[in-house]
Amino acid sequence: MIRTIRRRLAVDDSHLPAHLSPLIKQIYAVRGCVVQDCELSLSNLLTPEQMAGLSAASAIICQAIMDNRKILIMGDFDADGATSTAVCMLALKQMGAQQVSYLIPNRFDFGYGLSPEIVEVAYGQGAELLITVDNGISSIDGVLAAKALGMQVVITDHHLPGNSLPEADAIVNPNIAECGFASKSIAGVGVAFYLMSAVRSELRKHNWYQQQAIAEPNLGQLLDVVALGTVADVVALDGNNRILVQAGLKRVRSGRCRPGITALLEVAKRNPQRIIAADFGFAVGPRLNAAGRLDEMALGVETLLCDDIMLARRMAAQLDSLNAERRDLEADMQQEALKSLQALSLDEQTLPWAIALYQSDWHQGVIGILASRIKDRYHRPVIAFAQASDEEIKGSARSIKGLHMRDALELINTRYPGMITKFGGHAMAAGLSLKKGYFDQFAKAFDDVVRELLDEADLTGELLSDGELNAVDLTIENAELLREAGPWGQAFPEPLFDGYFRIVQQRIVGEKHLKLVLETECSRVMVDAIAFNVDMAVWPDATVQYAHVVYKLDVNEFRGKQTLQLMIEQIEPK
């Protein structure tokens, strides 16, 4: 799908520090940066006191540690859940907790969150205090079950709450109404990190470290794990999240990260010294997620917890194999989805405004990625379903700008009570379950609601460009400046530029990547470029001599030599 290119309007950037290059100043300014956003120091982090429920939660956990009660971390089966679990496990053990373990529900047996069924498993393991991470805000029945069995429950989450909150002993979630914490986009791992910081302070008040003759832990050592989970969960990189991510990247670049992250970077063929946020998002995160999608997320958690680099490498190799299997499954499912749309004689003009897909043999662990791929292709909200049981199908939803997916599902649930058995999530991603046999009715309701909430213009994909670079600006120096000006990510996008080029050379490399040599129109400067996963029905095309190209500046490293390369986001023949 060729997306409309819209160039950002120039804005006043005089309020930003003078030491920034003119290019970076303007890029920061159009993204709404103020002076403090340019200094990603840990001293500028929001303070824990602003997070509602943190004091009560830390007091409960502190008392459980001092009483030597059995603490169980209840995680989630994605990268955010795995990193949240790892942060709590590592921190609590460093703080002297003697009885702390974790449990992550298998998505195929128990589904998401603190269900009554997984509470029974936790009770069987002797848990006295349950701490949920990256889940729990919608687990009303699960919390009741835990309380009935005599367990305390502390919920930490970042997902949007429903109309009612669970009756937990403490709830920490920046998105509940009474919380004044400014970073509403913080990931589950960020909430867990703040909680562990509060627990550390609470134990200090009780002279715990002196009594136990242990050193007070430096929780900054966990910021590489926090950064990984934050980027992998694709939360908005507001100022606070950028500070957390930048601190974690610095640890990795300086060789001070967890062995498991080092091993995952190795199997992904990423250089730790030059890692950027996108490497967490596109290389490390998917390998970690593969465990929860196809097998047990315990493998991912154990990789993060591992202190032995050789063992970590073996586990990372297992995760890499699972990720390769996931890619194969995803490719097959995507082809089946596209065929089903083509069988209905649908093109981009006749597609429904909202796409719902279902095939009984699709893999539950991969439908979220499938929904994301179809959403990217057609720029429409997409929900992909797979069979969960004889009575139920499960769906994973991905949205586009302008549509709050969880709110849309809530509207459908209000209009058609009983059709959706459960749902939850964010503005851009959500999950749900349907009673089997209701798919066609749901697909129609989904399309109707989206037509109410969106305008037709919202269905046109758009690329925001930071403008055209002059030939003299196409330099390695500027590519390095942009790299250092990150971290870039969700809601703080890496700069895109656009311009017209003459195509000097074009060829396919790998399976379907288009390698090009481009020449600027006026100054006759030539530069290498690459476009990944091109449409082989369109490229290469020797008849195309000129193209409008949207790209990122990048530094290509090959055999120790660095050269400038344009990473092509979109190429349109002209």
Side-chain angles (χ1 to χ4, degrees):
M1 179 181 187
I2 294 295
R3 290 162 286 179
T4 302
I5 301 166
R6 180 164 67 84
R7 289 186 178 176
R8 301 176 190 269
L9 297 176
V11 299
D12 178 33
D13 56 19
S14 60
H15 61 289
L16 297 179
H19 67 81
L20 295 174
S21 75
L23 178 64
I24 301 301
K25 279 181 73 173
Q26 184 58 204
I27 287 168
Y28 277 178
V30 297
R31 284 158 179 73
C33 286
V34 294
V35 173
Q36 54 265 39
D37 295 325
C38 302
E39 178 53 52
L40 300 180
S41 167
L42 286 170
S43 62
N44 291 333
L45 272 178
L46 295 171
T47 59
E49 293 76 20
Q50 302 172 41
M51 196 176 285
L54 210 59
S55 177
S58 60
I60 291 168
I61 297 168
C62 173
Q63 193 63 51
I65 293 172
M66 293 190 297
D67 292 344
N68 196 27
R69 299 174 69 213
K70 183 157 187 180
I71 302 169
L72 191 142
I73 312 301
M74 184 69 68
D76 184 22
F77 40 65
D78 67 358
D80 191 14
T83 52
S84 302
T85 302
V87 162
C88 290
M89 289 292 298
L90 291 165
L92 291 172
K93 286 186 175 182
Q94 289 172 17
M95 287 186 257
Q98 296 299 310
Q99 296 197 79
V100 57
S101 59
Y102 70 90
L103 176 63
I104 297 181
N106 181 298
R107 73 161 75 217
F108 311 109
D109 297 331
F110 294 99
Y112 170 78
L114 186 70
S115 65
E117 293 78 15
I118 200 67
V119 164
E120 288 287 345
V121 176
Y123 182 71
Q125 294 182 2
E128 296 173 277
L129 169 61
L130 293 179
I131 305 173
T132 73
V133 290
D134 191 35
N135 75 95
I137 199 63
S138 60
S139 300
I140 293 173
D141 292 341
V143 171
L144 287 174
K147 299 295 290 179
L149 291 170
M151 289 183 271
Q152 284 186 295
V153 182
V154 170
I155 287 176
T156 80
D157 204 347
H158 69 128
H159 294 95
L160 298 174
N163 295 326
S164 301
L165 295 177
E167 295 180 8
D169 294 275
I171 296 176
V172 185
N173 183 339
N175 285 301
I176 61 176
E178 58 266 32
C179 187
F181 192 74
S183 179
K184 301 300 182 184
S185 299
I186 194 168
V189 69
V191 178
F193 178 75
Y194 268 85
L195 176 60
M196 292 300 103
S197 298
V199 172
R200 180 183 61 178
S201 298
E202 188 71 20
L203 287 169
R204 186 191 306 136
K205 294 176 187 176
H206 291 270
N207 295 316
W208 171 256
Y209 306 111
Q210 291 90 335
Q211 293 171 15
Q212 300 300 309
I214 58 175
E216 182 174 325
N218 174 11
L219 297 186
Q221 295 175 353
L222 304 179
L223 284 168
D224 52 343
V225 185
V226 176
L228 169 57
T230 299
V231 174
D233 208 44
V234 203
V235 295
L237 290 192
D238 59 16
N240 209 60
N241 282 337
R242 290 185 71 229
I243 292 172
L244 291 171
V245 171
Q246 181 71 351
L249 291 174
K250 282 183 177 179
R251 290 196 64 82
V252 178
R253 290 168 185 162
S254 63
R256 295 177 297 146
C257 70
R258 300 286 310 165
I261 293 179
T262 298
L264 285 166
L265 286 167
E266 287 175 357
V267 296
K269 297 180 172 57
R270 294 300 196 274
N271 179 357
Q273 294 179 338
R274 290 185 59 78
I275 186 177
I276 58 175
D279 294 320
F280 276 159
F282 296 108
V284 181
R287 285 168 170 80
L288 194 59
N289 269 324
R293 293 188 186 283
L294 302 186
D295 195 9
E296 293 275 0
M297 184 43 97
L299 175 60
V301 175
E302 289 300 317
T303 304
L304 295 173
L305 295 178
C306 183
D307 289 318
D308 181 334
I309 185 62
M310 298 307 294
L311 178 57
R313 283 171 174 153
R314 289 196 290 273
M315 290 191 285
Q318 288 180 260
L319 291 171
D320 191 50
S321 296
L322 284 171
N323 192 51
E325 182 183 345
R326 185 272 306 167
R327 282 199 302 264
D328 290 342
L329 277 169
E330 176 204 328
D332 291 342
M333 288 165 59
Q334 188 172 342
Q335 287 302 312
E336 290 164 355
L338 293 174
K339 283 180 183 176
S340 70
L341 291 172
Q342 291 162 2
L344 296 172
S345 301
L346 298 176
D347 55 26
E348 289 176 19
Q349 283 70 46
T350 56
L351 276 172
W353 285 31
I355 298 174
L357 301 163
Y358 166 57
Q359 195 162 304
S360 61
D361 61 349
W362 278 349
H363 197 289
Q364 280 186 53
V366 187
I367 52 175
I369 301 176
L370 173 64
S372 183
R373 296 286 187 264
I374 302 299
K375 180 265 296 182
D376 289 343
R377 184 181 183 99
Y378 293 110
H379 198 73
R380 282 161 165 76
V382 176
I383 306 180
F385 289 88
Q387 186 163 324
S389 67
D390 291 339
E391 297 83 29
E392 198 172 57
I393 62 175
K394 287 187 178 179
S396 190
R398 297 294 183 271
S399 193
I400 61 174
K401 183 180 178 181
L403 180 77
H404 193 296
M405 183 58 79
R406 190 195 175 283
D407 288 354
L409 293 176
E410 187 161 27
L411 184 55
I412 296 171
N413 189 50
T414 301
R415 292 181 180 175
Y416 302 92
M419 181 167 65
I420 300 176
T421 55
K422 55 186 173 183
F423 68 96
H426 299 291
M428 302 307 290
L432 71 156
S433 296
L434 286 185
K435 288 182 179 178
K436 199 171 180 183
Y438 279 84
F439 172 76
D440 291 336
Q441 183 181 352
F442 174 83
K444 175 67 166 57
F446 182 38
D447 189 53
D448 289 344
V449 163
V450 169
R451 287 175 186 271
E452 289 178 32
L453 299 176
L454 294 182
D455 296 322
E456 192 166 2
D458 296 321
L459 304 180
T460 302
E462 182 179 76
L463 287 173
L464 279 177
S465 167
D466 286 280
E468 185 171 10
L469 291 178
N470 296 320
V472 294
D473 294 320
L474 295 172
T475 64
I476 288 182
E477 290 73 21
N478 275 337
E480 289 287 2
L481 274 177
L482 290 165
R483 175 188 285 265
E484 293 301 318
W488 310 103
Q490 185 73 12
F492 196 79
E494 185 174 356
L496 285 176
F497 307 98
D498 76 284
Y500 293 88
F501 295 86
R502 185 173 78 87
I503 299 177
V504 179
Q505 295 176 18
Q506 54 177 304
R507 60 189 174 91
I508 294 294
V509 296
E511 292 185 4
K512 49 182 178 179
H513 310 317
L514 183 66
K515 184 77 172 173
L516 303 120
V517 176
L518 302 176
E519 183 182 67
T520 57
E521 278 196 310
C522 300
S523 303
R524 299 294 180 92
V525 172
M526 287 196 286
V527 62
D528 291 333
I530 190 166
F532 292 106
N533 299 312
V534 296
D535 186 343
M536 299 290 284
V538 178
W539 298 101
D541 186 345
T543 67
V544 178
Q545 295 185 353
Y546 294 89
H548 190 190
V549 178
V550 183
Y551 61 91
K552 300 172 184 175
L553 283 187
D554 188 50
V555 178
N556 185 40
E557 292 189 58
F558 184 68
R559 293 178 180 173
K561 183 181 178 181
Q562 293 185 339
T563 56
L564 179 71
Q565 181 172 251
L566 307 188
M567 305 289 286
I568 295 177
E569 190 78 12
Q570 177 170 291
I571 179 168
E572 185 179 3
K574 289 296 180 186

